[in-house]
Amino acid sequence: MATIKVHGHHLSTATRLVLCCLEEKQVDYELVVVDLAAGAHKKPQYLALSPFGVVPTIQDGDLTLFESRAIVKYLAKKYKGQGTELFGNSLSEEALVEQWCEVEGQSYNSPASAILFQILFVPMRGGTTDEAVVEMNVEKLVKVLDIYEERLSKSKYLAGDFFSLADLQHLPTTHYLVTACGKGDLISSRKHVKAWWEDISCRPAWKKVSEKSS
């Protein structure tokens, strides 16, 4: 069986999400580095794989797939029965995983990514962080995390008492929030969110990806 090729960049949150999923599923892969600084993701060769010019894209045999959340769902389903089960073990568990994956994509990621962009990437490009934008998005994230705190007071993980894709999807962005943006207090000030984060961020698959990428 051909090895899955992941076209991406080791510092990209979306690429890290896919790599972590592959590690959890114990699937061999090859990372083909896309030089984002040189604009390789906007050149014809890469656009032929991913027309929106974003990373990552995977090639699995005849299948070419972009959009990281679609990729991890595909991997979780294709490799069911191998490595970590990321969708639970019943239809109702799968529904809860899907629900909390949607929460991450719709409610958590937008403010978290906006904070990352302002604090990390704007200065990299010679700009100045807009503190008003940071503050506005911190306020949004606080409201989301208060809901997480309530949920996690009742279950160990977001979808239930099992680690799933819903938890995994939070790893890359939250890692940067805590380690590079000085926003760890958003996590550590909430007892159950803190315990959840300490648990999921210590998983061997994530440690392997984040340490390799640092």
Side-chain angles (χ1 to χ4, degrees), residues 149-170:
E149 179 68 7
E150 173 67 17
R151 170 60 179 168
L152 292 165
S153 72
K154 297 174 178 148
S155 63
K156 187 175 181 183
Y157 300 102
L158 287 170
D161 288 324
F162 59 96
F163 178 80
S164 76
L165 214 51
D167 308 292
L168 190 149
Q169 282 185 191
H170 288 79

Side-chain angles (χ1 to χ4, degrees), residues 12 14 18 21 26 51 85 92 114 124 155 164 197 201 208:
S12 143
V18 170
C21 183
Q26 298 170 6
E85 288 301 338
S92 59
M124 276 184 198
S155 63
S164 76
W197 175 248
S201 61
K208 185 174 179 182

Side-chain angles (χ1 to χ4, degrees), residues 97-169:
V97 173
E98 289 275 16
Q99 171 185 273
W100 286 98
C101 283
E102 283 293 315
V103 170
E104 184 277 330
Q106 302 293 334
S107 300
Y108 185 90
N109 183 65
S110 178
S113 293
I115 294 165
L116 255 62
F117 182 76
Q118 285 296 330
I119 293 177
L120 292 184
F121 298 108
V122 170
M124 276 184 198
R125 298 172 181 178
T128 304
T129 297
D130 187 331
E131 295 296 346
V133 172
V134 172
E135 186 55 39
M136 180 179 69
N137 283 286
V138 165
E139 287 175 12
K140 289 179 183 175
L141 201 54
V142 161
K143 290 175 182 173
V144 176
L145 286 168
D146 284 345
I147 294 169
Y148 280 35
E149 179 68 7
E150 173 67 17
R151 170 60 179 168
L152 292 165
S153 72
K154 297 174 178 148
S155 63
K156 187 175 181 183
Y157 300 102
L158 287 170
D161 288 324
F162 59 96
F163 178 80
S164 76
L165 214 51
D167 308 292
L168 190 149
Q169 282 185 191

